[in-house]
Amino acid sequence: MNEFSLFAHYFVALFIESAPWLLLGLLIAGVMHELVPVDILQKHMGSNSLSSITKAALIGAPLPLCSCGVIPAALGLRRSGASKSSTVSFLVATPETGVDSVSVSYALLGPVFAVVRPIAAILSAIYAGVLVKLFDKDEALAVENAPVQSDSCCNKQKTSCCETAEPSKSKSVSVWQKSLSVLSFASGKLLSDITFWLLLGLSMAALIQTFVPTDFLTQWGDGFVAMLVMALIGIPMYICATASTPIALGFLVAGLSPGAVLVFMLAGPATNVSTMGMIGKEMGKRTLALYLFAVVSAAMTLGYGLNLLWATMQWALPSSQINTHEHSAIEWLYYLSAFIMAALMLRNLLLKYAGSALRKSPTS
């Protein structure tokens, strides 16, 4: 088997393995999008208390917002009166995990990461909020009705993630209409927003498994240097929690420790150039410095904790997760889910280019 065939084999295997869990996560995310309006978030995040910080983390963790989509949501919350500490807690927890990324984590990385990931995201978010509360006293905020800044990543990339920040409609709708809205958001807006990064993540994981020798990443060890390297790799990247999962699997297969991989999974989605720019502009450089310090230090501390727990419990690494369902009785479910996922991605791509062509065509 040549290298291209091996790469294709790993890519297809990863896609099939993650498809049913990704569909489940998208469906749950669609339901949450329809049932959790932004005004509820604003109600519980206005104060600078530990309770408000904790609520912000717990509310943000399961929400279907990516690293880009969280920016307009956080801006709306901040300008509606949310404290700095609560806004920072929301900004950390929301992109680091979500219902879709947890389901994909279970499929690719096993149950340990599926449980550890949301817990780590919530703990790091509360820690970040507390640091801001203690060392960057919140000033009175004049609530503005100004629109989201035009230099946000959503406006630059013209993705659909901004639409996830819109409040739910208050008017009464039927169960059928609500169900259609759930499916439309899950299979359309949300899937379109993560498709590129998900496929990029799967490709990078397949490339790592195909070309990266086992001793290349293990040279960094399991300690401080390995985790610092993963943090430095993750900080400038724009990658959502779901797309970071197959890359994390590639790192694990290549020999990196679970703790170092967790650092990447936390730091990557929580930090990118657009998020850092927004924090610096809206909340100040001190808040930005505290935000970055909190994300990196929490990720590395939790990484050390995971390595210790992994060694104590003697868990097996999830290197054999791929193709575990090859001969199982539910093999058809994985292939059917992969077909549905591929069809939805292709449909969204065709609709995107068809809409672009119509906009460019001269009006009659």
Side-chain angles (χ1 to χ4, degrees), residues 104 174 263 281 309:
V104 176
S174 67
V263 172
K281 184 173 184 178
L309 183 63

Side-chain angles (χ1 to χ4, degrees), residues 5-30:
S5 299
L6 190 60
F7 165 79
H9 167 76
Y10 282 129
F11 179 86
V12 172
L14 283 166
F15 188 86
I16 293 173
E17 186 70 24
S18 62
W21 302 100
L22 184 57
L23 286 175
L24 176 62
L26 289 170
L27 180 61
I28 297 173

Side-chain angles (χ1 to χ4, degrees), residues 161-178:
C161 59
C162 296
E163 299 179 45
T164 61
E166 295 177 358
S168 298
K169 305 297 183 184
S170 58
K171 62 181 181 181
S172 175
V173 294
S174 67
V175 174
W176 173 249
Q177 289 174 315
K178 185 68 71 175

Side-chain angles (χ1 to χ4, degrees), residues 15 18-34 62-65 98-104 179 181-195 198 240 242 337 340-342 344-345 347-348:
F15 188 86
S18 62
W21 302 100
L22 184 57
L23 286 175
L24 176 62
L26 289 170
L27 180 61
I28 297 173
V31 172
M32 292 187 61
H33 179 265
E34 292 299 320
L63 289 183
L65 291 174
V99 288
D100 50 344
S101 63
V102 170
S103 60
V104 176
S179 300
S181 297
V182 168
L183 294 176
S184 175
F185 171 75
S187 66
K189 298 174 184 177
L190 183 57
L191 180 58
S192 294
D193 193 36
I194 69 172
T195 292
L198 177 64
C240 69
T242 301
S337 299
I340 294 173
M341 277 293 300
L344 290 173
M345 289 177 175
R347 182 205 66 173
N348 291 340

Side-chain angles (χ1 to χ4, degrees), residues 44 67 94 99 107 111 137 144 182 187 203 206-207 220 258-260 291 299-300 308 313 331-332 336 353:
H44 294 281
S67 303
T94 305
V99 288
K137 300 299 182 182
E144 303 174 0
V182 168
S187 66
S203 299
L207 285 170
W220 304 109
Y291 178 89
M300 295 180 66
L308 179 62
M313 302 302 295
E331 178 184 358
W332 63 270
L336 177 62
Y353 282 100

Side-chain angles (χ1 to χ4, degrees), residues 113-265:
F113 271 99
V115 173
V116 167
R117 186 175 201 170
I119 293 175
I122 292 170
L123 290 176
S124 59
I126 295 173
Y127 167 66
V130 169
L131 281 184
V132 172
K133 170 183 169 64
L134 294 176
F135 299 105
D136 189 11
K137 300 299 182 182
D138 206 6
E139 74 284 355
L141 178 70
V143 178
E144 303 174 0
N145 293 320
V148 174
Q149 296 295 323
S150 60
D151 59 349
S152 73
C153 71
C154 293
N155 286 313
K156 284 184 178 180
Q157 300 179 16
K158 299 182 179 179
T159 62
S160 60
C161 59
C162 296
E163 299 179 45
T164 61
E166 295 177 358
S168 298
K169 305 297 183 184
S170 58
K171 62 181 181 181
S172 175
V173 294
S174 67
V175 174
W176 173 249
Q177 289 174 315
K178 185 68 71 175
S179 300
L180 288 179
S181 297
V182 168
L183 294 176
S184 175
F185 171 75
S187 66
K189 298 174 184 177
L190 183 57
L191 180 58
S192 294
D193 193 36
I194 69 172
T195 292
F196 173 78
W197 302 103
L198 177 64
L199 294 179
L200 178 62
L202 292 172
S203 299
M204 290 185 67
L207 285 170
I208 290 171
Q209 294 181 54
T210 304
F211 296 105
V212 177
T214 302
D215 58 354
F216 178 77
L217 290 175
T218 54
Q219 65 178 313
W220 304 109
D222 295 335
F224 178 81
V225 176
M227 295 182 188
L228 183 60
V229 168
M230 285 295 98
L232 293 176
I233 290 174
I235 284 175
M237 292 181 69
Y238 168 68
I239 187 169
C240 69
T242 301
S244 70
T245 309
I247 300 177
L249 175 62
F251 285 148
L252 277 173
V253 171
L256 212 60
S257 70
V261 170
L262 180 65
V263 172
F264 170 78
M265 294 170 68

